[in-house]
Amino acid sequence: MKLSIIGLGLLGGSLALDLRKRKFADHIIGYDKNPVHSAFAKQVGLIDEEVSFEDAVAQGDIIVVAVPVSAVIKILPQILDKISDNQIVLDVASCKGVICERVKYHQKRKRYVACHPMAGTENSGPWSAISGMFDGKAFIICDAEDSDEKAVVTVKQMFEVLNMNPMFFNSFNHDIHVAYVSHIPHVASFALANTVLEKEKNEKNIFNLASGGFKSTVRLAMSNAEMWVPIFTDNKDNVMSVLDTYIEKLQDFKQLLQNNDIEGMADYINHANRVKKVLNK
Amino acid sequence: MKLSIIGLGLLGGSLALDLRKRKFADHIIGYDKNPVHSAFAKQVGLIDEEVSFEDAVAQGDIIVVAVPVSAVIKILPQILDKISDNQIVLDVASCKGVICERVKYHQKRKRYVACHPMAGTENSGPWSAISGMFDGKAFIICDAEDSDEKAVVTVKQMFEVLNMNPMFFNSFNHDIHVAYVSHIPHVASFALANTVLEKEKNEKNIFNLASGGFKSTVRLAMSNAEMWVPIFTDNKDNVMSVLDTYIEKLQDFKQLLQNNDIEGMADYINHANRVKKVLNK
């Protein structure tokens, strides 16, 4: 199986690492518009060959598009224009509605499988690639009925090699769900970082106090703008709506505190504690 | 050194564990108003002896008060009423202003050292006690000038045995700082959990999608109401003020997204990325 990876960042690099290790791919070729990324990926052996965009499209049995959502929208139709009926293209972006919409009527639509592996870290670049990042996490295939059945089976096998648990969604529902469990947590974290950084202008030692709790909450605030701005704009309506709910919840709490409503605050926290089940605790 | 611990929860239990292991204390006695806590602590060897509140006060060379802030305010004056000039009392609560105010003019004020070790987890109870929880974290002594100089030295030694880094604050500034780095991150996390739980009422599988990013952001939402409601009420003014700033930051982001301001969002995220230095990355 010859694997072609377009976009050699954290996700593309980590996929290369584990798909080689677990013998799903025996030859991996890669392209990144940033030559430092592809040279690094070749140097450390994430990929076997640095190739041009055209060769990456021409030569892969499976072509993984691991670039920001705005770039997927741009290059996916170009890739579909060129591939044969034996090749499969998949992407790994965090918004699926706008991408599926863009290629809905493309004559090669069936060769494309819309994927979202729910895994990552706050780091970026191929130097952040890590083995085992996907194990035990969920991966989603959207609008599977628009893809070739065998192509879906092959892609499912690929993610099962990574020990991921398959889920099937339509792209519209997917985008609502990820607004809740991924996009808004990032906004919450960026805003928290900016709140504390503003204070820090005048109080140099505030960060010396930062304990583990603070660190876990702002961890996502280290995520980069290049990836996240396109996600927010492409999932704008859902993000706006969930952000409204989040701000309302904060205002609810503020009202309880304003009123010294001890019982109300305890109820609010006890309810939030139900999130334990999410964390399997 | 005979150590007496009043309140055998996560903090009291973890202190007992490491202060014994590192030979700071050779005999540890403990009291908890919940007999299950003290029986458990005795059973697993966190403490050598379960004692009454009165004996815990009478017998300790150092008396550690590790109970919620509202309980500290109630029992600290009672403890100071009874101790000798050779005993030291310290507490470990997250709000210091209201406690220091409460005992400011007590005739035994000098025997009290107001402490805040900036360490913990989202878990509670003596069964959550862990070794090494304090290592490398900051601990704060507030209003040190109101305490006996030798008592401060002894308490500083105790926390240095735990590999903590000492900092000195006045209690007023302490409470402002912790509103930023501890109290508001908890509010942000409780509110985020409640936002997603509301959605989950109708969407049973939303949590299957929760990836590592979501989990780290809602981790603090597992913290318990018994501890946190008193913290919020006792630090009400600071929490209200920082919460206002946090809501403003979220509204700023919402405005940028509403306006499709790509550059503005990138600036917002790049600024938040500066938090990396907090995490020593």
Side-chain angles (χ1 to χ4, degrees), chain B residues 32 91 96 168 178 193 201 268 279:
Chain B
D32 196 294
D91 80 310
K96 294 268 81 94
F168 292 85
V178 293
K201 278 181 205 162
Y268 189 98
L279 308 188

Side-chain angles (χ1 to χ4, degrees), chain B residues 93-105:
Chain B
S94 184
C95 303
K96 294 268 81 94
V98 66
I99 296 171
C100 289
E101 200 59 39
R102 180 74 184 79
V103 296
K104 194 170 178 60
Y105 301 108

